Amino acid sequence: MSLLVVGLSHRSAPVSVLERAALEPQARGKLLQDAVGAEPVAEAAVLSTCNRIELYADVEKFHAGVADLSTLLAQHSGVGLEELTPYLYVHYEDRAVHHLFSVACGLDSMVVGEGQILGQIKDALALAQELHTAGRLLNDLFQQGLRVGKRAHSETGIDKAGQSLVTFGLEQLAAGSASVEEWAYGKRALVVGAGSMSSLAAATLARAGVAELVIVNRTLARAERLSAALADERGDADFVRALPMDGVHEALGAADVVVSCTGAAGVVLTTEAVQSAVGRAERPRAAGLSVLDLAMPRDVDAGVHRIEGVRLVDIESLAEAEADAPMAADVEAVRAIVAEEVAAFGAAQRAATITPTVVALRTMAADVVAVELARLEGRLHGMDDKLRAEVTQTVRRVVDKLLHAPTVRVKQLAGEPGGAGYADALRELFDLDPQAVAAVSNPEQERP
C-alpha cells in the first residue's frame, strides 16, 4: 500500500486561501485525469468541500508523488505553488488512512461531528469511479471510510457534539434567541441555490416555521422540485415558491433571512445589490437582514458586513466561532473507533497482498496433481471409473490438506505489521513464476 494524501483545509489555511483554491465541479474531473496521468500515480480521488481540498492517490514513490500532487493542486486551483505549499499537509500510508477516517467521522470538520461530510466522501468516490481513476485501494479506502463514519454516528453521541454547518451558521445568526426555531419563526427567507447544502438550509428553515420561503437557482427545475418537496412535507403549497436566478434581487428586497450556497465562481450578491435591497425593503425589519453565506468561494461580497442593519455570517466567521471541545467523551470514543478501524484496514490490505501468491501456489499444485494423475492413468490402463475417481479425490485431498495450514497461517502473518515479506518468501520457497502471480493480481492483462 502506497497511499498518499496532499491537501489543505480550514485547519491549515486561512479562508482567503481556501476560497481562491476552491475547485469547481468540472475542474475536479480534469484534476483526477491529470493525476492518474502523472508517472508515480496509479489511482486518484479528490475530496473537495467548502472547507477542504484533498487529493488522495496510490503512488509508487513518496517524494515524486508529493511533488506531482502538490503541483497539480496548484495548477488546478489557480493558486501559485510557492504560495500554496506552506498551507499543504501530507499524510502517507496508515496516517493517510487515519486522516480520511477522522474526516469521515466529523472529527476534522469545522463543526465537530457534522454528518454532511459522509455525502461529500460518497460523491468523491462516485466521481473517481465514473472516471475510472479509483482502483482497488481507493475503492476499499473510501468505502471503508463511509462505514467508519456511519459506525461513529451510530455508536457514539458525536452527532450531538456539533451540528451541521447549516445549523451552526443559523445558530450564529440567531445568537441571543432561545433556539433557531424561535428566531426563524414567522420570518421571510430566501435560499440561493438548490444543491445539498442549500436544500438542507431550506428544509431547516421550513421546519423552523418561516412564513415565506423563496428558492432561487440557476436551473429553475431544481428549485421547483425542492420547493414542491418542502410544500408536501409541510402540507402548505403557498408558503414556498421557486424563482430563476434573475429573480434573486426581487426576492432579496422582501427577505428577512438569506442563505446562499451556489458553488458559483464569482460573487452572487454584491454589496450594491444588498444595499439596494435594504433601502427598498417592503416593510421595516425589526432585527435587520440576516445573511448566511456557506459558499466557497463566497457568494456574498465581504463588504456586505459594513451595511447598517445587515448581519453577515460566512465561512470565515464560522471558523472563528468554532468551539472544538464539546462532549469530550464522545470525541474520544470516536477516536478509539478510528484507531481500531485503521488497524483493521491496514491488516486487511497487507493480507490482500499475499492472496495472489496463495492463489498462484494452489494453481501450481492443481497443475502438478493433474500431470501426475495423467501419468498414473497412463501406467494403469485397467482402472475403472470408480477407482479413477477415488484415486483423484484422494490425491487432491492430500494436497489440499498439506497446503491448508500454511496458506491460512501465511495470510494471518501477512496481515500483521511487517508481514509484507511473506509473499516474497512463499514465491521463493515454491519457485512460483512471478508472471503467474501477476496474472492473478491483474487478470485483464491475460486477455487477448
Side-chain angles (χ1 to χ4, degrees):
M1 179 178 67
S2 301
L3 178 65
L4 175 66
V5 181
V6 178
L8 67 159
S9 73
H10 65 101
R11 295 191 183 278
S12 70
V15 172
S16 59
V17 174
L18 279 173
E19 185 177 51
R20 291 167 53 211
L23 297 171
E24 294 190 49
Q26 60 269 29
R28 298 169 197 171
K30 185 63 168 63
L31 172 59
L32 288 180
Q33 291 168 337
D34 287 351
V36 294
E39 183 177 351
V41 179
E43 305 177 30
V46 61
L47 178 59
S48 179
T49 73
C50 61
N51 53 28
R52 75 177 62 250
I53 304 159
E54 297 175 343
L55 191 52
Y56 291 75
D58 182 5
V59 298
E60 293 180 3
K61 299 177 181 178
F62 173 76
H63 293 291
V66 171
D68 281 1
L69 297 191
S70 300
T71 300
L72 286 168
L73 282 174
Q75 289 174 348
H76 287 270
S77 69
V79 180
L81 182 59
E82 289 187 4
E83 182 182 0
L84 191 65
T85 298
Y87 304 113
L88 294 176
Y89 46 78
V90 174
H91 300 298
Y92 190 55
E93 296 187 325
D94 283 353
R95 288 182 61 85
V97 178
H98 189 282
H99 177 73
L100 179 66
F101 289 2
S102 296
V103 169
C105 293
L107 292 180
D108 198 58
S109 295
M110 185 175 292
V111 182
V112 173
E114 62 93 8
Q116 289 184 36
I117 188 63
L118 286 174
Q120 293 159 337
I121 291 173
K122 186 177 180 180
D123 290 343
L125 176 59
L127 178 61
Q129 290 174 333
E130 177 186 343
L131 298 178
H132 305 290
T133 65
R136 182 189 61 81
L137 176 60
L138 292 186
N139 270 294
D140 289 352
L141 175 71
F142 275 69
Q143 288 170 0
Q144 184 69 12
L146 291 170
R147 288 191 288 269
V148 174
K150 291 174 183 177
R151 179 187 170 192
H153 285 285
S154 65
E155 294 183 13
T156 75
I158 194 67
D159 302 82
K160 303 181 186 68
Q163 312 84 11
S164 74
L165 204 57
V166 169
T167 307
F168 189 52
L170 291 174
E171 286 183 348
Q172 300 308 303
L173 288 178
S177 299
S179 65
V180 170
E181 289 75 14
E182 180 185 80
W183 168 80
Y185 186 81
K187 284 184 167 61
R188 299 165 297 174
L190 165 65
V191 173
V192 185
S196 58
M197 192 80 77
S198 299
S199 298
L200 179 57
T204 302
L205 290 167
R207 291 164 189 158
V210 294
E212 300 174 13
L213 176 60
V214 177
I215 301 168
V216 175
N217 193 54
R218 295 187 187 281
T219 305
L220 179 59
R222 290 193 67 180
E224 289 175 336
R225 285 196 295 271
L226 177 56
S227 63
L230 294 175
D232 287 344
E233 180 179 331
R234 187 151 137 175
D236 180 1
D238 297 327
F239 93 100
V240 58
R241 61 193 174 105
L243 292 176
M245 188 59 75
D246 57 14
V248 68
H249 295 125
E250 171 197 344
L252 186 61
D256 302 309
V257 182
V258 178
V259 180
S260 188
C261 187
T262 66
V267 169
V268 175
L269 299 178
T270 64
T271 301
E272 294 74 16
V274 177
Q275 179 70 71
S276 174
V278 171
R280 58 184 169 81
E282 293 180 358
R283 63 174 182 260
R285 296 184 179 90
L289 175 63
S290 299
V291 181
L292 175 58
D293 183 6
L294 296 173
M296 182 67 73
R298 72 185 72 214
D299 278 348
V300 182
D301 195 328
V304 165
H305 78 89
R306 294 192 294 269
I307 300 175
E308 185 178 356
V310 177
R311 183 175 182 202
L312 171 63
V313 171
D314 56 18
I315 294 293
E316 191 165 11
S317 55
L318 287 177
E320 294 172 356
E322 177 196 10
D324 200 23
M327 301 190 70
D330 287 305
V331 170
E332 285 304 312
V334 172
R335 286 176 177 159
I337 288 173
V338 168
E340 175 188 330
E341 293 284 356
V342 169
F345 183 84
Q349 292 297 308
R350 288 189 293 270
T353 62
I354 204 167
T355 298
T357 304
V358 171
V359 172
L361 173 60
R362 288 189 172 276
T363 300
M364 184 190 75
D367 291 342
V368 170
V369 169
V371 169
E372 292 302 320
L373 287 173
R375 185 162 57 182
L376 180 63
E377 187 170 355
R379 292 177 179 177
L380 302 177
H381 299 287
M383 272 199 306
D384 59 27
D385 290 343
K386 183 177 180 180
L387 179 58
R388 183 184 299 107
E390 184 65 31
V391 170
T392 299
Q393 185 178 14
T394 299
V395 173
R396 288 176 177 168
R397 189 184 300 119
V398 169
V399 172
D400 285 343
K401 286 186 176 181
L402 286 173
L403 289 180
H404 177 73
T407 52
V408 169
R409 183 57 179 150
V410 81
K411 285 183 178 181
Q412 294 172 341
L413 292 171
E416 298 175 0
Y422 284 100
D424 293 335
L426 206 59
R427 286 193 293 270
E428 186 69 23
L429 286 170
F430 288 92
D431 194 24
L432 296 176
D433 183 356
Q435 292 185 351
V437 177
V440 176
S441 302
N442 303 288
E444 67 275 9
Q445 294 180 0
E446 296 298 298
R447 297 171 188 164

